[in-house]
Amino acid sequence: MASPDASDGHFLLMEQQQKPGVGKVYLVGAGPGDPGLITLRGKYLLERAEVVVYDYLANQRLLKHVPAKAQLVYAGKRGGVEHSHTQAEINQMLIDFARQGKMVVRLKGGDPFIFGRGGEEVEELAHHGIAFEVVPGVTSATAAATYAGIPITHRGYTTSVAFLTGHESPDKPTSTIDWSKIATGIGTIVIYMGIKNLPYIVKSLVDNGRSPETPVAVVRWASTPEQQSVVGTLANIVDVVRDTGIKPPALIVIGDVVNLRQTIDWFEKRPLFGKRIIVTRTREQASELVAGLEEAGASCFECSTINIEPVDDYKILDEALERIGEYHWILFTSLNAVRYFFNRLYLKGMDARDLKGPDIATVGKSTADLLLTYGINADLIPPVFTGEGLAQSLLDLGVEGRNILLPRAAAGREILPETLRGAGAQVTVAPLYRNVPVQGRTDELRAELATGRVDLITFTSSSTVKNFLDMVAAENQEELDRLLAGVKIATIGPITAKTVTDGGLTVDIQPERYTIPDLIQAIIETYR
Ligand code: SAH
């Protein structure tokens, strides 16, 4: 495998001992949870992996970096609950894949060498003469502290920190942790896997001289939208954890630095933190909406209601392109129209230079922005971002006798072409793609709604509304109301909003300008 950096050099000796064609195992730290917290090196390796063996704690969203043809193996290992594979089986699996000549990424939560058995895995590889490399990761201890607003060290509070495992059972005759030294010898103490043994941990610290008033934070699913954190003192944290029902995986942070959270807490203060949002969208749509909502702290359930597929026949567009110079206007009313139009244009050996004749209009700003990436500056963007808005702007300019090309979805709203024809224009509607409803995710969607955790649903087109309602498959209005009780609805524009009200639901959020950034902003304002 070609690697751009020098890190391979460390294991050159090992590689030279290998038979040619023999694979290599990369033990990669996935980071604590947020998929953005993997290292560049880790991502680089995932992008080239032939096999990925991943753990429960490694965020599965990282698997999107892995090539489609790679083999994915879930190694499980959720502490005590489910062991899909024993450690011996995992070790053997890594050896076997490497011996088959595979480029194997062993993806582990946090840092592989911190309470992750990474040491044991590479020891085994070393014994068997298998080449390996270890890529560190952001460990959950530092992430939990940081994302709970706690600097793990701070000049005014502490100059030392210890990472401990809380896994050791209290009835173990000889604990390897010397609590008498830890209790008062270390400033900040961070404990992994300690929830079950919390009463024992607290007692060990207090019995050995740590003040019962010492502040403690417990952080679950750190750095993810599901993060949950509570604070207390050594004296009451056991009660706090019991009362709030915090479960593993969680970290315990003990020390005076915990008090800084009052000032520094930043992650959980973001406006949409803790909000669960169903985002209905097409698969091909850019994830701009999801990214924007997550940036503000929301946890998104992406519900693809529509697939975009090419039409079978491009005859109308092809003919229009052959006489493109005769058109006065080309109108783009969706991002997909721009994409499919240019694909076809390029396929015919044409490019943006062939479009110098007609003026070009888009229905909104994002379509205009996309158009610019194809080298075209829109001549007209109406002040109101709907088909009606575009029609009105064109009528104001006068369309009588004008030749207008409208490349768009096979089944689109007729209002735009009809209005223009009514005013004396010749309109060619060229179908480019079809919106095909996604089948078969009904159960998943209904289960998500049934959790009662959903705060909001977003709709960005009428077809997402229709298909969402089909997918929810409520028997009647009563059942629909029950499933969506307490759930707010946000729509991108008035047409989508109308489809929502026609479907018997109520629109709660509707931005003044019909763009994704405005929709995100309107949602943030609602919850701020
Ligand atoms: N190698 C990992 C730790 C594995 S031990 C690392 O460096 O982070 C597993 C323990 O890590 C869990 O029981 C929990 O205590 C902690 N942990 C891992 N990810 C966590 C997260 N996102 N939030 C809170 N605790 C986490």
Side-chain angles (χ1 to χ4, degrees), residues 29 31-34 55-58 77 79 108-118 137-144 163-165 167 191-195 218-224 227-228 247-252:
D34 180 339
D55 273 357
Y56 167 63
L57 283 172
K77 284 178 58 76
K108 296 178 79 76
D111 182 277
F113 276 1
I114 300 185
F115 302 129
R117 296 201 169 194
V138 174
T139 188
S140 56
T142 53
F163 293 169
L164 311 182
T165 166
H167 195 52
I191 302 179
Y192 295 72
M193 298 174 279
I195 295 301
V218 174
V219 190
R220 178 172 201 249
W221 282 128
S223 80
T224 74
Q227 175 170 314
Q228 233 185 321
K247 303 220 157 30
L251 259 309
I252 307 165

Side-chain angles (χ1 to χ4, degrees), residues 62 78 83 135 163 221 225 392 414 444 450 454 480 489:
L62 287 169
R78 181 180 348 181
H83 281 256
V135 181
F163 293 169
W221 282 128
Q392 192 53 53
E414 294 311 323
E444 220 181 306
V454 176
L480 186 65
I489 293 180

Side-chain angles (χ1 to χ4, degrees), residues 239-435:
D239 296 337
V240 172
V241 166
R242 192 195 44 231
D243 295 348
T244 49
I246 291 228
K247 303 220 157 30
L251 259 309
I252 307 165
V253 185
I254 303 166
D256 292 338
V257 284
V258 170
N259 284 336
L260 288 162
R261 171 182 162 88
Q262 288 160 19
T263 326
I264 297 178
D265 189 16
W266 58 277
F267 184 70
E268 296 178 19
K269 288 267 164 69
R270 293 168 310 152
L272 298 182
F273 182 79
K275 296 283 172 269
R276 180 75 171 163
I277 302 181
I278 294 183
V279 180
T280 61
R281 55 195 283 262
T282 63
R283 284 232 176 98
E284 279 75 7
Q285 232 167 33
S287 326
E288 191 191 352
L289 178 54
V290 171
L293 295 172
E294 288 185 344
E295 198 66 26
S299 150
C300 293
F301 176 89
E302 288 180 55
C303 168
S304 296
T305 61
I306 305 176
N307 272 345
I308 306 290
E309 288 177 7
V311 292
D312 301 324
D313 184 358
Y314 282 97
K315 194 157 160 278
I316 300 180
L317 179 66
D318 287 351
E319 282 173 10
L321 288 176
E322 267 147 39
R323 46 186 198 89
I324 193 70
E326 294 169 24
Y327 283 94
H328 300 100
W329 284 101
I330 308 176
L331 315 181
F332 289 104
T333 53
S334 73
L335 298 173
N336 284 314
V338 174
R339 294 191 188 110
Y340 278 83
F341 178 90
F342 278 91
N343 281 352
R344 196 70 196 171
L345 187 78
Y346 296 154
L347 211 70
K348 290 178 73 70
M350 301 166 74
D351 60 35
R353 290 169 300 179
D354 295 292
L355 304 179
K356 65 178 179 298
D359 281 339
I360 296 185
T362 66
V363 77
K365 176 135 187 341
S366 8
T367 315
D369 289 344
L370 179 64
L371 198 59
L372 201 54
T373 67
Y374 290 89
I376 305 247
N377 225 332
D379 299 290
L380 171 69
I381 309 170
V384 180
F385 297 170
T386 61
E388 286 83 344
L390 179 55
Q392 192 53 53
S393 296
L394 288 165
L395 293 191
D396 292 346
L397 293 169
V399 291
E400 173 140 32
R402 308 261 105 182
N403 255 333
I404 299 179
L405 178 60
L406 176 56
R408 60 159 217 198
R413 295 169 61 242
E414 294 311 323
I415 185 88
L416 177 60
E418 275 169 11
T419 312
L420 297 173
R421 281 184 192 126
Q426 313 268 352
V427 183
T428 311
V429 174
L432 303 185
Y433 60 92
R434 289 178 301 139
N435 293 316

